[in-house]
Amino acid sequence: MDPQTQNTSLQRLQNVENRVVKVLELAGGVMEELASPSGPKKEFVNSHCREFMQSMKDIQVTLREEIKSACEYRPFEKCDYNAGIANEICFQKLEYVLTQLDDLKQTADRYTSSD
């Protein structure tokens, strides 16, 4: 993900954040209307509920796209980094095994020389 794509992604996520705030305000408006002493206005509640549901769907679609995009981002996929690290780990393991074998040989030599 290059810096331009990353900025665009962050901007889309910031827009989602703003839409979430708007959705919460819509829900709060409906709650206030439902608690109204004169009773809720059906048209107001219906229009706000429709807008709420549509906004939730839009938010969900945008978040799915961002998650999919983030999952496709693999910066080290085409480089030797993983192979190099795996090679270094194997090398360290081999050095450890050789050290242990040397220690084992010395112990065996001491045991046989004490006979």
Side-chain angles (χ1 to χ4, degrees):
M1 194 179 292
D2 61 18
Q4 180 65 30
T5 304
Q6 193 172 18
N7 282 340
T8 306
S9 179
L10 290 175
Q11 288 168 346
R12 283 192 299 263
L13 289 174
Q14 187 169 10
N15 290 338
V16 167
E17 182 180 359
N18 292 336
R19 286 190 292 184
V20 167
V21 169
K22 183 179 178 191
V23 163
L24 292 174
E25 289 170 351
L26 281 170
V30 169
M31 296 297 285
E32 286 177 1
E33 186 63 29
L34 290 173
S36 172
S38 62
K41 297 175 189 156
K42 186 176 180 180
E43 191 174 309
F44 177 87
V45 172
N46 285 340
S47 70
H48 277 66
C49 285
R50 274 193 299 279
E51 189 176 349
F52 175 87
M53 292 306 294
Q54 186 58 51
S55 294
M56 290 301 292
K57 287 177 186 176
D58 294 343
I59 289 168
Q60 190 175 29
V61 167
T62 304
L63 289 176
R64 279 190 181 136
E65 289 170 357
E66 290 305 311
I67 290 168
K68 182 180 176 188
S69 174
C71 290
E72 291 171 354
Y73 175 60
R74 295 187 178 123
F76 299 112
E77 188 174 65
K78 295 179 182 167
C79 74
D80 296 335
Y81 179 77
N82 289 337
I85 292 296
N87 189 29
E88 184 65 31
I89 291 170
C90 287
F91 179 74
Q92 301 259 333
K93 286 180 180 179
L94 283 173
E95 281 186 338
Y96 178 74
V97 168
L98 288 174
T99 304
Q100 293 298 312
L101 286 173
D102 285 341
D103 290 346
L104 185 62
K105 183 178 183 311
Q106 288 175 359
T107 302
D109 287 345
R110 273 188 264 138
Y111 182 74
T112 55
S113 66
S114 65
D115 284 341

